[in-house]
Amino acid sequence: MSVSEPGKDRSTCYILSLDGGGAKGFYTLGVLRELEGLLGTPLCQKFDLIFGTSTGSIIAALLAIGRSVEDVHDLYNEHVPRIMRAKSPSAKSLKLGEAGEAAVGDMRFDAVRTGLGIVAAKWQVETPMIFKSTPEQAHGRKATFVPGFGCTLSDAVQASSSAYPFFERKWVTTHQGDNVELVDGGYCANNPTLYALADAVAAFGVKPEQCHVLSLGTGNYPEPKPTLVKRVVKNLRSVQLLQKTLSVNTASMEQLRRVLFPQTPTVRIDDTFDHPEMATDFLEHDMAKLNLLRQRGAESFASREFEIVELLGERDGHS
């Protein structure tokens, strides 16, 4: 399927959906590195839609412009510890902005090579704002559609990743000159699979059974023992409460997906790790722990490889 002619060139619409989870995105990268090796091609050439929320939006945007998973991993190695070590919301947001500029500069949504969706939430009116790359993804007003509302990729992923109150809220200016205050997309859809399916089915006109979905979480882990600093932070902003909110949101979206799209072939990878050494949260900045998450992602891929091969039609080699 081409972006310009959705639903016409292939009988199947391949969807990659990437959850939010902050630093736990290293788990996602572990899965994706193995997937890219299996396919032997940039992921933007395989998937017709790539949707992401929060850390998933960063990965999604980079994959959609043709970056390799290894490139994304290098960027995460460099920037994630710096962001998560920052002491204040303003400092975290500053580091996040620097990472966005380093990753994509001033690129806009017309630079992507496949259908892209980035999920953010409007703070004031409490509704989703989905940045999309092609008019085919629009559910109306296609004639006046502007990719990503005219925003840069960097602004969109910063908005989607602004986990308030640990990060500052993000203001963006659309092509119409509207100033919109946004927060982390996890507040509305930490698992963005349903938004991707809505585009494929309602906008592209693909039948649900012809949508093949690979949905990746960031893993589930024991809560880390708080340090003195974290105890103070939790009293002020509650890491635990936000983590619980996002986890419930993720599970709810997955349950709805199963009810609403039972006929859609889907592989969901979001394993649970109970060992104490796996204790972590979305603010993790210890590189040893982050590398461990990546390893666990690779292992999760291995445990589901046969299902993924079946889902993506790779039984006879690279398609």
Side-chain angles (χ1 to χ4, degrees), residues 99-132:
E101 293 300 321
V104 294
D106 60 357
M107 295 177 70
R108 296 181 183 271
F109 281 74
D110 54 6
V112 306
R113 302 180 183 181
T114 191
L116 174 65
I118 291 176
V119 180
K122 296 180 181 178
W123 175 252
Q124 294 177 336
V125 296
E126 300 173 349
T127 57
M129 183 169 180
I130 317 298
F131 297 85
K132 301 180 181 182

Side-chain angles (χ1 to χ4, degrees), residues 200-213:
V201 175
F204 286 5
V206 179
K207 295 179 180 179
E209 60 270 23
Q210 293 176 331
C211 299
H212 286 213
V213 179

Side-chain angles (χ1 to χ4, degrees), residues 66-126:
R67 301 290 288 272
S68 70
V69 176
E70 195 63 37
D71 285 344
V72 182
H73 183 244
D74 288 344
L75 285 164
Y76 266 56
N77 279 340
E78 180 180 357
H79 291 283
V80 168
R82 295 179 186 175
I83 295 168
M84 298 310 181
R85 283 195 190 101
K87 301 300 184 183
S88 67
S90 61
K92 280 183 167 60
S93 291
L94 178 63
K95 295 296 184 184
L96 178 62
E98 292 173 354
E101 293 300 321
V104 294
D106 60 357
M107 295 177 70
R108 296 181 183 271
F109 281 74
D110 54 6
V112 306
R113 302 180 183 181
T114 191
L116 174 65
I118 291 176
V119 180
K122 296 180 181 178
W123 175 252
Q124 294 177 336
V125 296
E126 300 173 349

Side-chain angles (χ1 to χ4, degrees), residues 143-193:
T144 57
F145 176 90
V146 174
F149 303 102
C151 298
T152 64
L153 285 168
S154 179
D155 278 347
V157 300
Q158 287 177 60
S160 181
S161 304
S162 291
Y164 181 79
F166 301 96
F167 291 73
E168 292 184 326
R169 300 188 291 270
K170 173 68 176 177
W171 286 92
V172 301
T173 302
T174 70
H175 65 287
Q176 294 180 322
D178 298 330
N179 295 317
V180 186
E181 189 177 21
L182 299 172
V183 294
D184 197 294
Y187 282 108
C188 57
N190 201 52
N191 171 353
T193 301

Side-chain angles (χ1 to χ4, degrees), residues 27 269 271 296-308:
Y27 173 87
I269 300 180
D271 289 339
R296 293 295 176 265
E299 293 166 4
S300 292
F301 174 91
S303 70
R304 309 293 295 279
E305 184 171 1
F306 179 78
E307 295 174 65
I308 295 170

